[in-house]
């Protein structure tokens, strides 16, 4: 990837991100359900990585999951995310990371809607929404 940021030192992210963003994006944290910025956002646009602003999810694939977190049934491009087996906290889950900078986004589950059956459950804090320009 031409703007690969996976080799940036943690000090770079610590300076660039807020403490909450840093905890979630760089320390695999999880924000509170429901009370987060994009859970109920219905505007059209692109959700980019909250750390490196690489495009990740289009509003076209966002759906109401009832989980309390923004949910998407597909990334804008599957090359833009990295899926990693996550056995932390006594659960077997699949972690989703930004492929461009390695930051933690959330998890993906197999109980999503058609057409993919996938549910990308993503922290608002890991995203930066860019509204579509008319
Ligand atoms: Fe990123």
């Amino acid at each position: 990837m031409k703007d690969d940021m996976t080799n940036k030192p943690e000090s770079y992210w610590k300076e660039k991100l807020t403490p909450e963003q840093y905890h979630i994006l760089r320390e695999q944290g999880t924000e509170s359900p429901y009370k987060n910025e994009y859970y109920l956002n219905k505007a059209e646009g692109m959700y980019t990585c909250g750390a490196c602003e690489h495009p990740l999810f289009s509003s076209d694939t966002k759906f109401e999951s009832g989980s309390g977190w923004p949910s998407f049934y597909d990334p804008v491009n599957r090359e833009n995310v990295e899926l990693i087996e996550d056995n932390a906290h006594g659960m077997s889950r699949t972690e989703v990371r930004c492929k461009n900078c390695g930051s933690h986004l959330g998890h993906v589950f197999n109980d999503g809607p058609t057409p993919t059956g996938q549910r990308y459950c993503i922290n608002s804090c890991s995203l930066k929404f860019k509204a579509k320009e008319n």
Side-chain angles (χ1 to χ4, degrees):
M1 223 168 279
K2 69 177 189 325
D3 52 345
D4 181 19
M5 296 176 82
T6 52
N7 292 324
K8 290 277 184 199
E10 282 311 302
S11 56
Y12 171 83
W13 298 116
K14 209 151 208 170
E15 195 164 302
K16 181 178 165 74
L17 304 172
T18 68
E20 190 189 14
Q21 282 181 312
Y22 183 83
H23 174 61
I24 293 169
L25 286 155
R26 306 303 304 177
E27 300 178 326
Q28 282 76 253
T30 301
E31 71 193 5
S32 301
Y34 303 103
K35 292 174 187 168
N36 56 69
E37 195 172 3
Y38 300 131
Y39 174 52
L40 298 173
N41 185 29
K42 289 185 165 49
E44 279 183 49
M46 182 62 65
Y47 293 85
T48 68
C49 175
C52 76
E53 299 188 30
H54 211 64
L56 296 174
F57 299 97
S58 162
S59 60
D60 294 344
T61 64
K62 193 173 188 288
F63 68 98
E64 172 55 80
S65 65
S67 69
W69 289 282
S71 302
F72 306 87
Y73 62 74
D74 216 11
V76 65
N77 185 328
R78 289 184 197 184
E79 295 293 305
N80 294 13
V81 297
E82 185 173 16
L83 304 183
I84 297 167
E85 192 182 326
D86 176 9
N87 294 311
H89 310 295
M91 292 178 274
S92 176
R93 297 184 295 176
T94 303
E95 182 191 354
V96 185
R97 291 190 188 183
C98 171
K99 188 89 168 264
N100 190 57
C101 74
S103 290
H104 174 76
L105 304 172
H107 290 86
V108 61
F109 303 92
N110 292 322
D111 57 6
T114 55
T116 64
Q118 302 287 292
R119 172 170 61 95
Y120 287 80
C121 183
I122 306 298
N123 291 286
S124 286
C125 219
S126 296
L127 299 171
K128 181 180 281 188
F129 179 65
K130 302 201 173 164
K132 189 176 169 182
E133 290 171 34
N134 292 308

